[in-house]
Amino acid sequence: MLRLSSDEMISKIEKEEPFHAVSDDYSFTLKIEEYTYFLCGAVHDGHQFRKELWNNCLHSEYDRWYEEDPCTKQMVQSNPMVIAGMDSRFEYDLNRAPETAIYDDAWGKQLWCTPLPEDQKQKSLSKHATFYKVVRALVSKMEEKFGGAIVYDMHSYNWKRWDRPVPVINLGTKNIDNDRFSAFAKAWCDALKHIELPHDIATTAAINDTFQGNGYFLKFITENTQNTLVLATEFSKIYCDEYDYILYPEVVDAIEQQLKLILRNHATTFYNDFILKNGQPSR
């Protein structure tokens, strides 16, 4: 793995050079084994929390972990193009616009003992901006090369806090172009229902049941591309005990191994049925 600045990453992207790197501020990783028409993202996978913020934070490490999306990078790490956050959403949230990316409170609880100084906010927001600078370059290259693209935007959510039955997998489609893409969203949802999980966990999947896909990562890519579909995909935390802070690696591994095939097959169908028919690949 390399350590690269955003400009160095973008230079490699423009030249279509494969690479695996961490950003020089250690805020995100990007792996490109080959340039293809599908990208996996895990913007809430990170748990790093800058040390200068510790004493001012009212949330414990467990509080932060509970609201993060651990293991979402691992679920898709076998795919050829993967971008993932390394910092906790409690420092800055990559799935929110810059003006709301730094929390004052989180899930009903005040986050900071005293308001953050402006220089600390700017340090976090600069990492947010750097991430999206690279995202813009990458998805632009994908559209230039293939005429369109599909992005699997991986998340998780705490199912035990709900007072009703919720799906193991939720797909949020409110902010996609449903006139063009609803069939591909439904096909993705239907494919995910076939994932077999350990311990007799029944796999259920639904569209816009718990979340509607309102994240900034989806909106940013959608607004800055012409023929790219972003599928906000949320696994309920059946792969851990969200109250006892225990991960179940065998469940995570089962998801990863099956997504290898399911995701690539779905992306190939999208390429054949949408990009080749509607996109304008330049080469």
Side-chain angles (χ1 to χ4, degrees):
M1 177 181 279
L2 304 173
R3 178 176 180 261
L4 299 176
S5 69
S6 59
D7 288 341
E8 288 171 325
M9 287 187 185
I10 291 169
S11 176
K12 288 183 177 294
I13 290 167
E14 290 173 345
K15 297 173 186 175
E16 298 180 20
E17 294 179 7
F19 65 94
H20 188 191
V22 61
S23 60
D24 60 0
D25 59 9
Y26 292 98
S27 63
F28 70 95
T29 59
L30 175 57
K31 179 188 73 170
I32 304 176
E33 294 175 339
E34 61 174 309
Y35 285 81
T36 187
Y37 44 84
F38 63 100
L39 169 68
C40 298
V43 297
H44 283 160
D45 184 75
H47 187 60
Q48 291 180 161
F49 193 64
R50 213 166 66 238
K51 189 173 183 179
E52 67 177 341
L53 304 174
W54 292 1
N55 291 337
N56 195 27
C57 184
L58 293 167
H59 286 236
S60 68
E61 181 185 11
Y62 166 75
D63 292 336
R64 300 194 299 272
W65 176 86
Y66 179 77
E67 302 294 355
E68 294 160 354
D69 296 350
C71 300
T72 47
K73 177 184 177 182
Q74 184 179 340
M75 291 175 184
V76 293
Q77 66 183 357
S78 304
N79 289 283
M81 296 175 62
V82 180
I83 190 166
M86 293 182 66
D87 292 326
S88 172
R89 66 193 302 184
F90 283 78
E91 182 184 338
Y92 59 97
D93 192 334
L94 286 171
N95 214 28
R96 292 190 181 185
E99 57 269 21
T100 59
I102 297 178
Y103 304 163
D104 292 320
D105 58 75
W107 289 269
K109 178 181 175 181
Q110 182 179 334
L111 183 56
W112 309 110
C113 299
T114 59
L116 286 184
E118 189 61 29
D119 65 322
Q120 290 187 6
K121 288 183 179 181
Q122 291 305 316
K123 189 179 294 187
S124 295
L125 289 175
S126 69
K127 293 192 280 186
H128 185 285
T130 296
F131 176 85
Y132 277 101
K133 181 180 176 182
V134 172
V135 168
R136 182 191 290 270
L138 181 56
V139 295
S140 295
K141 171 57 68 175
M142 293 168 73
E143 283 216 335
E144 171 195 324
K145 186 172 177 64
F146 298 102
I150 187 166
V151 179
Y152 298 90
D153 176 19
M154 305 301 295
H155 295 271
S156 65
Y157 75 96
N158 299 299
W159 68 274
K160 292 182 180 180
R161 70 177 6 151
W162 291 78
D163 59 2
R164 62 172 176 85
V166 292
V168 168
I169 306 163
N170 178 82
L171 184 60
T173 65
K174 179 180 178 181
N175 290 287
I176 69 172
D177 184 342
N178 279 287
D179 290 340
R180 293 194 295 167
F181 296 137
S182 61
F184 299 107
K186 184 180 184 301
W188 178 232
C189 184
D190 290 343
L192 292 169
K193 293 176 183 177
H194 294 288
I195 291 178
E196 297 180 2
L197 297 171
H199 316 307
D200 298 319
I201 300 171
T203 306
T204 55
I207 294 176
N208 298 328
D209 183 292
T210 50
F211 300 94
Q212 286 71 50
N214 291 318
Y216 183 68
F217 185 66
L218 183 155
K219 291 179 179 179
F220 178 88
I221 294 173
T222 301
E223 291 169 1
N224 286 281
T225 56
Q226 297 295 319
N227 293 309
T228 296
L229 167 61
V230 184
L231 292 173
T233 306
E234 305 240 8
F235 276 78
S236 66
K237 289 182 179 173
I238 41 81
Y239 63 89
C240 68
D241 188 316
E242 62 197 61
Y243 291 149
D244 286 344
Y245 202 174
I246 298 171
L247 288 169
Y248 304 149
E250 76 280 21
V251 180
V252 178
D253 182 70
I255 294 170
E256 179 194 355
Q257 295 306 318
Q258 291 170 81
L259 280 182
K260 284 182 187 179
L261 179 62
I262 292 171
L263 193 151
R264 183 177 284 272
N265 284 347
H266 182 266
T268 300
T269 298
F270 179 81
Y271 179 76
N272 290 332
D273 292 352
F274 176 76
I275 296 176
L276 288 183
K277 293 180 179 179
N278 301 285
Q280 300 294 327
S282 58
R283 59 186 186 280

